[in-house]
């Protein structure tokens, strides 16, 4: 029997709706509205690169233009309705999900104890108890607070002294939690003093929750994509979950088409095709996305769905870059229309636009340039800048 099939346009629309980029970008972007936004996304990646604004701030701004960077901290440091830990990378996560992170803590503890001593040696293991007791007695600390004499014993691995490695291990394994930041400097305290006690569910209940909630946020996925979403379940565990759910009639296998009309088998809930057919189109607004936006995090999926090939070139030598150091994707409606190389010049308070590359087949005529200028004006205000400087020849030919 032929599988049900979702054409590329409807698959893209459904995917954007699930990633909250097909809704009108409105709302206060703070308090309960901001917590609901992060909860619906599942998590928001945190990254230290700040050529314009931090990754997490830009991800939230793209969906809530009223959002400002100071709106996130009260949910983390005051209300404790969000916490920081790992998904595929360092992320901000709803504290309501914390019980299921107990599985993550246990698995990270086992994996890191097996790996890290090979880099950090016995000094790292010996520091664990000392660091934990220090935090218990004295309260929140940063790695700099513990450096002191231990710095002389540094192994050189990421220039981490043993107590820094111990802090990271205790955080990754759930004994400590990030209680606040000063800039991008993290302070750690006992987890029970930050987020309170959390009773671990049965591991199978957590695996069911993780896979089910990953699918809810993706709309359709392979088992490998489900496992990669939170990066807690293994690929084998996600495959087993899909098989059980399919046998129970709670999942079906369908095909989605890429931009070249090539089919790919994925899992979806019954009724997904009907849902996709009924969804309204995304607003035509042009939006600047961050390279770590959840809609683009899986580069291969973004290329299949949108025909948009994106790679971070931070670590590529400048003469070998195809585009630039930190280039921002441009989404207009349901189409990736280009990428732009720009950065904040804090000394002058200006946004420096170096280059824009349209996607193949996309023209930047007067109308689209006007929409781009309007969006960059909004981004400039969001970043606390006063104006825009356009480099000569900023509009490149499509590659």
């Amino acid at each position: 029997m032929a599988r049900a099939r979702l054409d590329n346009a409807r698959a893209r629309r459904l995917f954007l709706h699930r990633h909250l980029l097909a809704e009108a970008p409105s709302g206060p972007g703070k308090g309960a509205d901001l917590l609901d936004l992060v909860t619906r996304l599942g998590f928001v990646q945190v990254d230290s690169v700040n050529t314009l604004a931090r990754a997490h701030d830009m991800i939230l701004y793209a969906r809530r233009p009223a959002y400002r960077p100071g709106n996130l901290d009260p949910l983390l440091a005051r209300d404790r309705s969000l916490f920081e830990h790992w998904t595929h990378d360092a992320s901000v996560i709803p504290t309501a999900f914390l019980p299921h992170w107990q599985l993550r803590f246990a698995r990270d503890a086992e994996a890191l104890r097996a790996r890290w001593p090979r880099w950090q040696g016995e000094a790292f293991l010996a520091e664990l108890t000392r660091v934990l007791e220090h935090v218990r007695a004295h309260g929140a600390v940063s790695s700099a607070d513990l450096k002191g004499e231990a710095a002389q014993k540094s192994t050189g691995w990421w220039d981490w002294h043993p107590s820094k490695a111990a802090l990271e291990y205790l955080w990754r394994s759930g004994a400590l939690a990030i209680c606040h930041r000063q800039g991008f400097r993290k302070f750690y305290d006992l987890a029970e003093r930050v987020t309170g006690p959390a009773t671990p569910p049965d591991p199978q209940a957590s695996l069911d929750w993780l896979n089910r909630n990953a699918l809810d946020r993706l709309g359709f996925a392979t088992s490998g994509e489900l496992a990669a979403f939170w990066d807690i379940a293994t690929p084998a565990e996600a495959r087993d979950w899909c098989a059980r759910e399919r046998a129970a009639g709670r999942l079906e296998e369908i095909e989605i088409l890429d931009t070249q009309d090539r089919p790919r088998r994925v899992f979806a809930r019954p009724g997904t095709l009907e849902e996709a057919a009924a969804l309204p189109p995304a607003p035509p607004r042009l939006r600047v996305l961050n390279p770590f936006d959840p809609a683009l995090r899986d580069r291969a999926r973004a290329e299949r769905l949108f025909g948009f090939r994106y790679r971070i070139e931070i670590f590529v030598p400048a003469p070998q870059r195809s585009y630039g150091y930190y280039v921002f994707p441009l989404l207009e409606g349901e189409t990736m229309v280009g990428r732009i190389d720009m950065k904040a010049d804090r000394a002058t308070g200006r946004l420096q636009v170096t280059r824009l590359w349209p996607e193949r087949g996309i023209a930047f005529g007067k109308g689209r340039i006007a929409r781009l200028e309007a969006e960059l004006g909004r981004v400039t205000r969001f970043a606390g800048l006063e104006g825009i400087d356009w480099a000569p020849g900023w509009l490149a030919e499509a590659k």
Side-chain angles (χ1 to χ4, degrees), residues 140-254:
V141 297
S142 71
S143 63
D145 296 329
L146 295 174
K147 194 170 183 179
E149 184 180 319
Q152 306 305 315
K153 306 172 188 175
S154 174
T155 64
W157 177 60
W158 287 3
D159 199 29
W160 281 13
H161 51 86
S163 54
K164 160 66 172 174
L167 263 184
E168 287 289 319
Y169 173 87
L170 292 167
W171 171 58
R172 291 283 297 272
S173 60
L176 299 181
I178 296 171
C179 56
H180 65 279
R181 288 178 179 264
Q182 289 181 1
F184 226 68
R185 183 180 173 191
K186 295 180 288 190
F187 285 78
Y188 304 83
D189 202 348
L190 298 180
E192 60 262 31
R193 294 202 290 236
V194 178
T195 54
T199 302
D202 176 79
Q204 193 56 52
S206 285
L207 291 170
D208 177 70
W209 184 95
L210 291 162
N211 286 297
R212 177 164 37 84
N213 278 271
L215 184 59
D216 286 345
R217 286 160 178 79
L218 293 171
F220 50 81
T222 65
S223 60
E225 289 167 344
L226 293 180
F229 186 83
W230 309 106
D231 195 28
I232 299 176
T234 67
E237 288 167 339
R239 282 195 302 272
D240 290 345
W241 182 84
C242 288
R244 289 194 302 272
E245 292 294 294
R246 189 180 181 197
R250 292 187 290 267
L251 280 188
E252 60 183 7
E253 197 172 38
I254 65 172

Side-chain angles (χ1 to χ4, degrees), residues 2 26 30 37 53 67 69 104 108-109 169 208 245 264-265 275 302 318 340 371 373-374:
S26 62
K30 60 184 177 180
L37 177 63
Y67 170 81
R104 174 91 197 211
D108 277 5
Y169 173 87
D208 177 70
E245 292 294 294
R264 178 177 173 82
R265 295 182 189 178
E275 177 193 352
I340 187 167
R371 291 191 290 277
E373 289 174 340

Side-chain angles (χ1 to χ4, degrees), residues 1-264:
M1 184 175 69
R3 291 181 184 83
R5 178 171 285 188
L6 195 58
D7 66 40
N8 179 254
R10 288 183 175 175
R12 211 179 327 143
R13 180 172 296 175
L14 174 62
F15 188 77
L16 287 173
H17 270 279
R18 294 298 178 95
H19 286 79
L20 313 185
L21 287 170
E23 301 178 356
S26 62
K30 60 184 177 180
D33 176 66
L34 185 58
L35 176 59
D36 179 66
L37 177 63
V38 178
T39 301
R40 292 171 66 194
L41 287 172
F43 62 88
V44 174
Q45 183 173 340
V46 176
D47 190 77
S48 61
V49 178
N50 192 15
T51 58
L52 177 58
R54 302 288 188 194
H56 51 284
D57 290 325
M58 292 198 69
I59 291 167
L60 297 169
Y61 171 78
R63 294 152 174 86
R64 294 289 188 274
Y67 170 81
R68 291 297 180 268
N71 296 359
L72 189 63
D73 191 60
L75 301 181
L76 284 160
R78 186 191 67 197
D79 302 343
R80 305 298 189 195
S81 53
L82 297 173
F83 73 102
E84 292 188 52
H85 210 264
W86 280 73
T87 54
H88 66 293
D89 211 320
S91 299
V92 172
I93 306 158
T95 306
F97 299 174
L98 186 60
H100 301 293
W101 253 252
Q102 305 305 308
L103 181 61
R104 174 91 197 211
F105 298 155
R107 290 182 172 186
D108 277 5
E110 182 179 359
L112 297 181
R113 266 192 177 273
R115 294 202 313 265
W116 281 16
R118 292 199 295 270
W119 290 310
Q120 292 294 330
E122 293 303 315
F124 150 65
L125 292 173
E127 283 291 290
L128 290 177
T129 300
R130 189 187 76 82
V131 168
L132 190 60
E133 289 306 313
H134 179 91
V135 174
R136 191 182 306 279
H138 300 286
V141 297
S142 71
S143 63
D145 296 329
L146 295 174
K147 194 170 183 179
E149 184 180 319
Q152 306 305 315
K153 306 172 188 175
S154 174
T155 64
W157 177 60
W158 287 3
D159 199 29
W160 281 13
H161 51 86
S163 54
K164 160 66 172 174
L167 263 184
E168 287 289 319
Y169 173 87
L170 292 167
W171 171 58
R172 291 283 297 272
S173 60
L176 299 181
I178 296 171
C179 56
H180 65 279
R181 288 178 179 264
Q182 289 181 1
F184 226 68
R185 183 180 173 191
K186 295 180 288 190
F187 285 78
Y188 304 83
D189 202 348
L190 298 180
E192 60 262 31
R193 294 202 290 236
V194 178
T195 54
T199 302
D202 176 79
Q204 193 56 52
S206 285
L207 291 170
D208 177 70
W209 184 95
L210 291 162
N211 286 297
R212 177 164 37 84
N213 278 271
L215 184 59
D216 286 345
R217 286 160 178 79
L218 293 171
F220 50 81
T222 65
S223 60
E225 289 167 344
L226 293 180
F229 186 83
W230 309 106
D231 195 28
I232 299 176
T234 67
E237 288 167 339
R239 282 195 302 272
D240 290 345
W241 182 84
C242 288
R244 289 194 302 272
E245 292 294 294
R246 189 180 181 197
R250 292 187 290 267
L251 280 188
E252 60 183 7
E253 197 172 38
I254 65 172
E255 290 181 343
I256 58 169
L257 299 182
D258 68 8
T259 55
Q260 305 300 313
D261 286 334
R262 293 172 297 206
R264 178 177 173 82

